[in-house]
Amino acid sequence: GYFLPGILDDTTNKDFFGLNIWPLSAHGKMELMPFKHKWGYLGFSLDASYFFMYKDYDTYSLYSHVLTGNFNLVYQKFLYKRVIMADIHAGSGVTSFTGTKFIFRHVESEPFTSININANCGAALQLYVQKRLYIETGADYIHAFTSDMTFGMIQPEIAIGWQF
């Protein structure tokens, strides 16, 4: 899927990179729903996301890769026949700022990597266009527990999926 990450809680990102929204991104998710009942499905999911941050200044450039990985508890319920399904999920994982570098004309800084525990929650709607093929739209909120800044991010997404 594709998501558009928006950083909400911190000015550090805006101060250094000049933006709080990063369009170069990707998102993937796998769900296992072992408990299926009339009142809904219960299960687990693993998801991962990636986006790239970059800023070019007159005298230097700055860039970083941001990766998240989460384990979630999931509840799903069909809202309309077997065509529209609601999905709510919450869990925890890691947020990593990987390979963060300052690049000057003739000098490059050593890459910096920070791995932080996070908490996340979200909701989505799945529209089944065929028996097993669906389009999903939703949003997640991820809060990374960092030592020197507050980092909260919203991830609206659109994706295509297949139910096995």
Side-chain angles (χ1 to χ4, degrees):
Y2 175 78
F3 76 102
L4 188 62
I7 299 167
L8 303 175
D9 295 341
D10 187 54
T11 61
T12 304
N13 190 71
K14 179 91 170 160
D15 292 345
F16 283 95
F17 288 98
L19 295 172
N20 278 339
I21 296 175
W22 301 98
L24 185 56
S25 61
H27 183 252
K29 175 170 58 171
M30 290 185 339
E31 295 178 327
L32 175 63
M33 309 305 281
F35 307 106
K36 297 181 179 180
H37 302 280
K38 287 183 180 181
W39 45 265
Y41 300 169
L42 291 174
F44 314 96
S45 73
L46 290 173
D47 74 63
S49 65
Y50 165 83
F51 65 95
F52 180 68
M53 299 189 300
Y54 182 85
K55 178 66 177 173
D56 223 355
Y57 290 96
D58 292 337
T59 56
Y60 68 95
S61 298
L62 173 64
Y63 72 87
S64 184
H65 305 272
V66 181
L67 300 125
T68 66
N70 297 299
F71 176 79
N72 296 312
L73 298 175
V74 181
Y75 172 73
Q76 292 181 336
K77 172 82 173 149
F78 276 107
L79 300 178
Y80 178 74
K81 298 185 180 181
R82 296 190 68 80
V83 176
I84 299 174
M85 181 178 295
D87 174 307
I88 57 172
H89 50 274
S92 185
V94 294
T95 299
S96 174
F97 301 90
T98 304
T100 305
K101 271 189 189 182
F102 289 91
I103 302 171
F104 297 90
R105 286 185 202 265
H106 304 290
V107 179
E108 239 180 69
S109 71
E110 289 293 319
F112 171 76
T113 297
S114 168
I115 299 173
N116 308 282
I117 300 220
N118 73 34
N120 73 301
C121 62
L125 284 176
Q126 297 172 350
L127 173 64
Y128 282 79
V129 293
Q130 290 185 347
K131 186 174 182 175
R132 302 246 180 233
L133 179 68
Y134 62 89
I135 297 170
E136 180 177 270
T137 184
D140 284 7
Y141 175 76
I142 296 177
H143 182 86
F145 300 99
T146 60
S147 61
D148 56 352
M149 68 179 186
T150 304
F151 187 83
M153 172 174 61
I154 190 152
Q155 295 182 320
E157 106 168 290
I158 188 158
I160 190 163
W162 185 266
Q163 181 188 51
F164 293 97

